[in-house]
Amino acid sequence: MSLIQNIFSSSASKKVDLNSEVKQSSLTSTDNCAFPTTNEDDLTGLDEFSYSETRARYNLLIMKQEQQIQQLEREKDRLQAQLYKAEDEQRDAIKGQIKNIGDSIDACYDQINDYLTAIISINNVEATENVSATSSTSSTSKTSLKTASSSSKTSKGESTLKDANFDTMLGHVLGYEGGFSNHPADRGGATNYGITQGTYTSYKGKYVDVRNITKEEVYDIYYKNYYVASGASKIAKTDPDLAFAVFDAAVNHGVGYAKSALAKCGNNVDTFMELRKQKYISIVANNPSQKVFEKGWQNRWNRVYSVIDSNHKYVNYIG
């Protein structure tokens, strides 16, 4: 099974029940809630589909935590409104409840960070097995993509795969994008695997429902329209981490923005990610209807940063 088939299979597996049985080599179950292990020795030997499937299940667990955070935030807002009207003798009790909810929200973010750390471990082991049987990737290394790239070179400095960097990056991007959606507030309209109906129509030269897009077309569109068009394909030769940041930004914000931010960042990936964070904040500030996507964008930003820097800790920048 090819990598792109695995990606599509893992995206489909996101529909499975969160309480379904998980692979014990990468997840352990306690009180009906799955918790990750970040021991890379426990992950070696899984086939490609197992890696993709396990990544997809971690993404499901992250989504579950995000939903829990949203519920807690709503309850916190309700108590804040109640506190404003409460009598003095009730205020301390309400403040205590608000504090407990705040602690629960922090715990959810900690859990998400653990899941992201586990995904990094899977990525590191998979990259190592894909490019060299002798090279090893540390879970504490700064740049997992860079490590994978450097170990994928032959003695002549040529990649052992046609474009190993792109395959790896696309796997991450499709993990963020998911399948078909048509949210009324999404300015891009109907999308499938992150590709809008407009983009697909342009690609086909006629209207074809984006729900009918094939995996080969998804691969081709992402490669030509975003990876190459944004300049990420050239950057990947020397800085895979920056290339991934640029590629994902091109997918999420458009090629024009990705190029503009690249020109401003001085080829510094941390500066690029800061510019992108400010981009998300400005979108919501200028168009409140986009607030519905705010938490999802924050999670995407953190996931991208976690691929770039395995020491990254979840940042709740929207408060």
Side-chain angles (χ1 to χ4, degrees), residues 79 82-98:
L79 288 170
Q82 186 177 333
L83 179 64
Y84 180 74
K85 302 177 182 178
E87 300 292 337
D88 290 342
E89 60 270 18
Q90 297 175 316
R91 295 178 67 84
D92 287 343
I94 296 173
K95 287 179 180 179
Q97 293 178 53
I98 292 172

Side-chain angles (χ1 to χ4, degrees), residues 28-49:
T28 57
S29 181
T30 303
D31 298 331
N32 296 321
C33 184
F35 293 90
T37 172
T38 56
N39 184 352
E40 292 182 7
D41 292 337
D42 294 338
L43 298 169
T44 56
L46 292 176
D47 58 30
E48 287 186 1
F49 179 77

